[in-house]
Amino acid sequence: MQHLLSTAELSRADAIDILDTAAQMAATQEREIKKLPTLRGRTVVNLFFEDSTRTRISFETAAKRLSADVINFSAKGSSASKGESLKDTALTLNAMGADAVVVRSAASGAAHQLAHSGWLTGSSFYGSDHPGVAILNAGDGTHQHPTQALLDAYTMRRHLVGPDALGQGLDGLKVAIVGDVLHSRVARSNVWLLKTLGADVTLVAPPTLLPVGAETWPAKLSYDLDATLAAKPDAVMMLRVQRERMGGGSSAFLPSAQEYTRLYGLDRKRLEVLPKHGIVLHPGPMNRGLEISAEAADSPQSVIVEQVANGVAVRMAALYLLLAGKE
Ligand code: NCD
């Protein structure tokens, strides 16, 4: 693996290798001193053109726990807000000697473009040899968010297969992904990764929030959350209603917030239908009271806060495998 751009291009062996490495990283995070020397002298740039809380601080924490130097670059406060192009930003980062670039952008395909443009060769003006800059996609438009899907899979494996399920996938597990699938890179990344790991996925959404072509994805489609829950899924992943991507306002996509919650919201009553071992996931940020009630979000079956902690271990694993794993 040279880059981590999309879960669609991850083999089962590579995906399981990341999950297993994350388990080892998580074990080191239980120690009093959490820092490992693994990436000492390496530079990781966090290039965030779109808002983020969890993903940005998670990548920053992961890189620091591996002793890398971290440069945080966000669109606000940089020349990107003066209209500097992705190319000129990339050339600047290259000249600074970045070893890895973690990129989030509203443009689907931005990470792919950085990886294949030839702008980030890693070789400096001083002529040193460099294996090339690793690109990690931290979310590109509505396309992909691979580390989110990997942390979701890691969380599901820990709870539903076993805490020490090294070498194993998610074979036969039933996963429901519910809500604004249309605008969700989290859903797209999960569908492909879950298929690769052997899970059985159902996407649940109103027809207006399912993308054209979803019937060709490796997942079942449903408009009926209650029927999907009655089939006893092992995991239910709630998606945020992404109002910021609904250009002309949400009314083109949702009847009304109340109606959406009534049909597609996870509340206490629906939670009671889940099997006892069933877990509830949400990538955050949550719209409490819209796609998920406070009771469901804070219930013992919710693993939403644990997802955040697992995100650090999974991103440590990804950085380690891309930057040091080959040595
Ligand atoms: C997701 C994202 O940004 O794609 N959040 C995240 O990374 N934790 C999902 C979302 O914004 O709804």
Side-chain angles (χ1 to χ4, degrees), residues 44-266:
V44 176
V45 176
N46 281 329
L47 183 60
F48 277 66
F49 295 108
E50 208 187 52
D51 295 343
S52 172
T53 304
R54 267 154 287 264
T55 306
R56 191 176 51 74
I57 60 177
S58 177
F59 265 112
E60 180 173 356
T61 306
K64 285 183 170 163
R65 296 274 161 84
L66 293 170
S67 304
D69 294 320
V70 182
I71 298 172
N72 286 316
F73 177 111
S74 61
K76 256 189 216 120
S78 76
S79 293
S81 61
K82 298 181 187 167
E84 185 164 41
S85 68
L86 185 61
K87 175 174 179 174
D88 288 321
T89 304
L91 292 174
T92 301
L93 299 178
N94 198 50
M96 303 276 179
D99 296 293
V101 174
V102 177
V103 61
R104 166 168 288 198
S105 168
S108 301
H112 194 273
Q113 191 178 20
L114 275 185
H116 298 291
S117 59
W119 301 328
L120 285 157
T121 56
S123 43
S124 73
F125 296 104
Y126 310 115
S128 62
D129 264 348
H130 194 284
V133 179
I135 308 297
L136 293 96
N137 185 0
D140 62 326
T142 60
H143 177 229
Q144 277 275 330
H145 190 357
T147 57
Q148 178 69 42
L150 285 159
L151 79 86
D152 294 335
Y154 178 82
T155 306
M156 288 184 232
R157 192 175 79 167
R158 241 179 69 77
H159 281 270
L160 302 170
V161 184
D164 299 310
L166 296 183
Q168 297 190 54
L170 300 172
D171 299 288
L173 291 181
K174 282 197 272 185
V175 182
I177 301 179
V178 186
D180 186 357
V181 176
L182 178 64
H183 299 106
S184 180
R185 53 198 175 205
V186 175
R188 283 170 185 73
S189 284
N190 264 287
V191 164
W192 295 102
L193 182 64
L194 289 168
K195 177 210 150 55
T196 301
L197 293 173
D200 174 9
V201 181
T202 304
L203 296 170
V204 189
T208 48
L209 289 177
L210 274 177
V212 176
E215 60 287 347
T216 65
W217 296 1
K220 298 184 189 103
L221 305 182
S222 166
Y223 304 140
D224 187 342
L225 178 57
D226 289 312
T228 304
L229 294 179
K232 304 285 174 200
D234 301 291
V236 179
M237 182 182 298
M238 303 307 296
L239 299 173
R240 183 172 65 88
V241 174
Q242 302 199 14
R243 286 194 173 104
E244 79 280 16
R245 296 193 205 278
M246 299 181 184
S250 60
S251 59
F253 298 93
L254 312 177
S256 71
Q258 290 89 324
E259 187 74 352
Y260 182 84
T261 303
R262 192 175 66 75
L263 292 171
Y264 295 100
L266 188 69

